[in-house]
Amino acid sequence: AVVGGAAAVGSLNLPRNVHAAGSDMLKVALIGCGGRGSGAAKNATMGDENLKVTVLCDIFPDVLAQARERLGRALGDRLEVTDETCFSGFDGYKQVMETDVDVVLLCTPPHFRPAQLRAAIEAGKHVFCEKPVAVDAPGCRHVFETVEMARQKNLSIVSGLCWRYDPKVKATVEKIKEGSIGDIVAVHETYLTGTLWYRQPQPDWSEMENQVRNWLYYTWLSGDHTAEQHIHSLDKALWINDDAAPLSCEAVGGRLVRTDAKWGNVYDHFGMTFEFPNSVKTFAFCRQMAGCYNDVNDYILGSNGTASILGGTVTPKKGEAWKYDGPNANMYDEEHKALYAGIRSGNVINNGIYMTRSTMMAIMGRMAAYTGKKVTWDMAINSQEDMTPKTYEWGDVEIPTVALPGKTKFV
């Protein structure tokens, strides 16, 4: 029932220091102080005038220290942390939950999201939750349970699937859903882009440290780039299909450029076909390679025309073409504005169902590509493949192997 449920919006028993009038200070903790986390902290301060970041946490003390200095310059007195409210290590997030913060920003590598989200909801914190929310099916099942727990406790979960908060994208999706191009026939998703960062291993790094610092390139940490990055496109396909889970997926993928062992075990390209209810298909392609043609967009094919979601255009075969000409806004700020407005008004937001379905959809596509099998939703959500390491300790750990379609087994 949780897996099949809809996103919930309910009333709130306001946290201990926030009145419905919204006059009191909101205290925010950042867990995961890298580039995206630091960005989220800045977005948080743009989302509410009476808010301060009072707690910082990162696995690595050096990353935390750099972020503390960087955010100090950017936020000024909106950053109010002390040595006693800065935590590090694999279990640092547990100490965060013992503080008096109202909101937690979860911006660590995706592998850690299920446990951290559960800890935050159990501690009665509202959450901004970056995408994806898990890297395997057991993680998604865990998050579905946590989402229901948040609904019962009237706690907010706002997702980092930021396009759902972009004015142009929202308006374009609304036009499509109004039937301006007729019935949806197919969705064509592209996330063809360049390469991302890589951190050169240092002599004193253990294998575990190398993998966590270069988490993009290890499936157990990132979910592969179809989950870590392409999920934005897949989420829009899910949105267009009324957030209904896809029925099945066939996929291809591999490593044409990332052939060196330093790139871990992720692929550098995927091509996926998802079938949704009513025989609607989504054709999704992603690539992370330098020197290639780039295209990031969502093309919707209807019985009476086409639309480009990121282009903000709707072109019916019959009828007048439409192009978005409304106001623009920073979607990263907008999602935080919605989060804090919901907390203060009592109309909390729970994006948990669609953020977890989109994550599972990305994992489903990866499963199909890695194994070469046609994967159904039931197969995917019930998969027993658990990527949790034997221990969270610095030292030598297994180096994951690259999946070989036709040989890698579905678990």
Side-chain angles (χ1 to χ4, degrees):
V2 173
V3 173
V9 177
S11 62
L12 170 69
N13 295 320
L14 290 169
R16 55 194 169 277
N17 64 337
V18 182
H19 299 306
S23 60
D24 282 353
M25 179 70 64
L26 282 168
K27 296 181 180 180
V28 174
L30 170 62
I31 302 179
C33 295
R36 178 74 282 270
S38 295
K42 296 174 187 176
N43 301 135
T45 62
M46 298 298 292
D48 192 278
E49 293 181 354
N50 201 12
L51 173 153
K52 288 189 176 183
V53 178
T54 60
V55 174
L56 296 178
C57 177
D58 195 274
I59 291 174
F60 299 108
D62 61 307
V63 174
L64 190 154
Q66 292 164 12
R68 184 176 177 181
E69 181 178 348
R70 184 169 61 248
L71 290 172
R73 293 194 299 269
L75 304 184
D77 62 5
R78 308 278 310 265
L79 180 72
E80 198 172 86
V81 301
T82 65
D83 291 346
E84 288 69 35
T85 60
C86 290
F87 308 103
S88 60
F90 285 113
D91 289 336
Y93 75 93
K94 296 178 181 179
Q95 296 170 282
V96 172
M97 305 313 167
E98 297 174 0
T99 69
D100 65 349
V101 297
D102 306 292
V103 181
V104 175
L105 314 179
L106 296 181
C107 303
T108 60
H111 169 82
F112 303 104
R113 201 88 72 234
Q116 293 174 353
L117 179 60
R118 175 64 63 87
I121 297 304
E122 287 182 340
K125 313 298 186 183
H126 301 283
V127 175
F128 169 75
C129 190
E130 261 303 345
K131 52 73 198 168
V133 299
V135 297
D136 52 28
C140 283
R141 295 194 295 268
H142 191 266
V143 171
F144 274 127
E145 293 175 357
T146 304
V147 167
E148 174 60 17
M149 182 184 298
R151 187 193 65 80
Q152 294 177 4
K153 298 179 72 169
N154 291 317
L155 292 169
S156 306
I157 299 179
V158 166
S159 168
L161 290 165
C162 47
W163 288 111
R164 296 215 186 200
Y165 288 88
D166 180 86
K168 178 174 70 174
V169 168
K170 288 168 63 177
T172 306
V173 170
E174 183 177 341
K175 289 289 291 185
I176 296 169
K177 285 180 174 286
E178 287 174 354
S180 57
I181 59 172
D183 295 331
I184 303 301
V185 176
V187 179
H188 178 197
E189 296 287 357
T190 59
Y191 210 121
L192 309 178
T193 188
T195 55
L196 299 176
W197 51 262
Y198 173 75
R199 298 186 176 107
Q200 187 64 38
Q202 300 302 303
D204 60 338
W205 290 6
S206 65
E207 179 57 32
M208 175 63 101
E209 182 165 356
N210 171 53
Q211 291 186 23
V212 176
R213 286 192 185 268
N214 282 299
W215 60 270
L216 287 176
Y217 308 109
Y218 295 90
T219 304
W220 77 270
L221 283 159
S222 69
D224 210 320
H225 68 99
T226 188
E228 198 283 321
Q229 185 180 69
H230 189 40
I231 189 173
H232 283 297
S233 302
L234 299 180
D235 179 63
K236 280 171 275 182
L238 191 85
W239 190 7
I240 284 294
N241 282 284
D242 297 323
D243 291 328
L247 303 176
S248 64
C249 179
E250 307 148 51
V252 296
R255 288 161 65 104
L256 295 177
V257 177
R258 286 175 175 155
T259 55
D260 194 287
K262 74 178 187 178
W263 302 119
N265 68 322
V266 297
Y267 282 6
D268 54 24
H269 68 282
F270 289 89
M272 300 171 284
T273 301
F274 295 91
E275 183 167 350
F276 281 85
N278 300 322
S279 299
V280 176
K281 289 197 173 183
T282 288
F283 304 95
F285 305 88
C286 60
R287 179 184 64 209
Q288 289 182 341
M289 296 182 189
C292 297
Y293 168 74
N294 292 341
D295 180 52
V296 180
N297 213 323
D298 322 88
Y299 305 99
I300 315 302
L301 287 69
S303 58
N304 182 42
T306 60
S308 167
I309 292 181
L310 292 190
T313 60
V314 174
T315 310
K317 294 176 183 177
K318 298 179 181 179
E320 186 176 349
W322 175 88
K323 183 176 178 62
Y324 180 76
D325 62 357
N328 292 313
N330 184 323
M331 60 186 177
Y332 299 104
D333 292 344
E334 290 301 301
E335 55 194 357
H336 284 269
K337 289 178 182 178
L339 170 61
Y340 306 122
I343 293 172
R344 291 195 183 280
S345 69
N347 297 312
V348 302
I349 301 171
N350 190 328
N351 299 154
I353 294 296
Y354 77 68
M355 77 180 189
T356 315
R357 277 211 187 126
S358 293
T359 296
M360 194 64 240
M361 182 177 172
I363 293 169
M364 181 182 182
R366 185 194 73 217
M367 289 172 168
Y370 276 16
T371 64
K373 304 294 185 183
K374 181 175 183 177
V375 177
T376 67
W377 178 263
D378 286 344
M379 289 171 61
I381 193 63
N382 291 306
S383 166
Q384 298 304 303
E385 182 183 32
D386 189 336
M387 295 188 178
T388 306
K390 294 178 181 178
T391 181
Y392 294 107
E393 295 178 352
W394 303 122
D396 291 333
V397 294
E398 180 181 355
I399 299 176
T401 58
V402 177
L404 297 175
K407 294 185 177 181
T408 295
K409 303 297 183 183
F410 182 89
V411 180

